[in-house]
Amino acid sequence: DAGVTQSPTHLIKTRGQQVTLRCSPKSGHDTVSWYQQALGQGPQFIFQYYEEEERQRGNFPDRFSGHQFPNYSSELNVNALLLGDSALYLCASSWGGNSPLHFGNGTRLTVT
Amino acid sequence: KQEVTQIPAALSVPEGENLVLNCSFTDSAIYNLQWFRQDPGKGLTSLLLIQSSQREQTSGRLNASLDKSSGRSTLYIAASQPGDSATYLCAVTTNDMRFGAGTRLTVKP
């Protein structure tokens, strides 16, 4: 039973570029949440997708957008990258909104 | 706005000690509280989930308690081992999930 998988594991981009990160949820899960974790900090909630709709959103600018596909997998897109977007991006899946979250190992994004 | 604080930020103990990690939150209207472990450069592993109606959960050497009225949770680790060395994060769910900054635990052999 595969857990949450994220790709790529590492990524280096230049300021102003765009990036797409991908997440496949744990089998049986229908809800995907994305988090940004800066070094030495706890994860910050970006948004959550359920039934292909953005259900909740944290305090992130519109440069951060996402999508959920019919198979429950999800993408996180970040436009016009800034140096401050460098972080570990974590995807978590769950069944519904009140069950334990299962996290992937994240994508380490470095913006130069 | 929910604020989650974890104390201490870092902790170093000798192997075999029992220890307590603390988590506090400002809004008591939570659905649940979850404790996670994070190894360097890795994702988060769920340790314990306490629903708002529960007072504690236990798993092996771990015990987590929840006092919603005072906005506090503790994670008790018994007989600590070097393999317990990691960062421990607590997270509370209201409309979304908010994390503390974590406690970095080092258990020395």
Side-chain angles (χ1 to χ4, degrees):
Chain A
D1 178 22
V4 179
T5 58
Q6 293 187 242
S7 63
T9 55
H10 295 83
L11 202 50
I12 300 174
K13 290 286 189 177
T14 304
R15 274 181 302 175
Q17 286 188 318
Q18 178 264 344
V19 68
T20 297
L21 310 182
R22 295 176 176 82
C23 172
S24 293
K26 180 179 170 67
S27 177
H29 286 182
D30 59 3
T31 303
V32 172
S33 303
W34 286 92
Y35 293 81
Q36 180 194 66
Q37 186 177 25
L39 203 61
Q41 301 295 317
Q44 300 290 317
F45 176 71
I46 303 175
F47 42 53
Q48 183 182 78
Y49 277 84
Y50 172 71
E51 292 188 343
E52 302 178 52
E53 299 268 338
E54 182 183 291
R55 184 159 67 173
Q56 294 172 9
R57 188 179 183 92
N59 189 26
F60 278 80
D62 292 344
R63 298 186 298 108
F64 289 76
S65 64
H67 189 77
Q68 186 178 34
F69 299 94
N71 66 354
Y72 306 117
S73 67
S74 178
E75 289 182 350
L76 164 65
N77 301 291
V78 187
N79 294 322
L81 284 167
L82 304 174
L83 295 179
D85 294 332
S86 295
L88 180 67
Y89 287 84
L90 294 164
C91 170
S93 72
S94 61
W95 185 83
N98 203 24
S99 64
L101 289 185
H102 293 253
F103 280 81
N105 282 331
T107 294
R108 172 70 63 187
L109 173 64
T110 302
V111 182
T112 62
Chain B
K1 177 186 171 185
Q2 179 76 273
E3 301 284 347
V4 183
T5 304
Q6 290 188 245
I7 294 173
L11 182 63
S12 180
V13 300
E15 182 178 5
E17 273 205 6
N18 302 323
L19 56 100
V20 174
L21 308 182
N22 297 290
C23 173
S24 62
F25 47 95
T26 54
D27 183 356
S28 62
I30 65 172
Y31 294 123
N32 60 53
L33 182 144
Q34 200 164 352
W35 283 93
F36 293 90
R37 168 189 173 134
Q38 186 174 31
D39 293 290
K42 299 293 187 182
L44 280 64
T45 300
S46 178
L47 298 173
L48 291 164
L49 170 72
I50 311 176
Q51 302 290 355
S52 62
S53 59
Q54 297 174 323
R55 295 299 299 266
E56 67 176 340
Q57 283 286 335
T58 298
S59 176
R61 295 182 294 108
L62 306 179
N63 175 276
S65 68
L66 173 64
D67 184 343
K68 270 200 333 177
S69 61
S70 66
R72 296 178 187 273
S73 175
T74 61
L75 179 66
Y76 175 82
I77 302 178
S80 59
Q81 302 170 358
D84 295 331
S85 297
T87 296
Y88 291 80
L89 295 139
C90 73
V92 295
T93 300
T94 49
N95 293 321
D96 56 32
M97 179 173 272
R98 300 274 173 145
F99 284 81
T103 294
R104 188 171 68 254
L105 173 66
T106 304
V107 181
K108 298 180 178 179

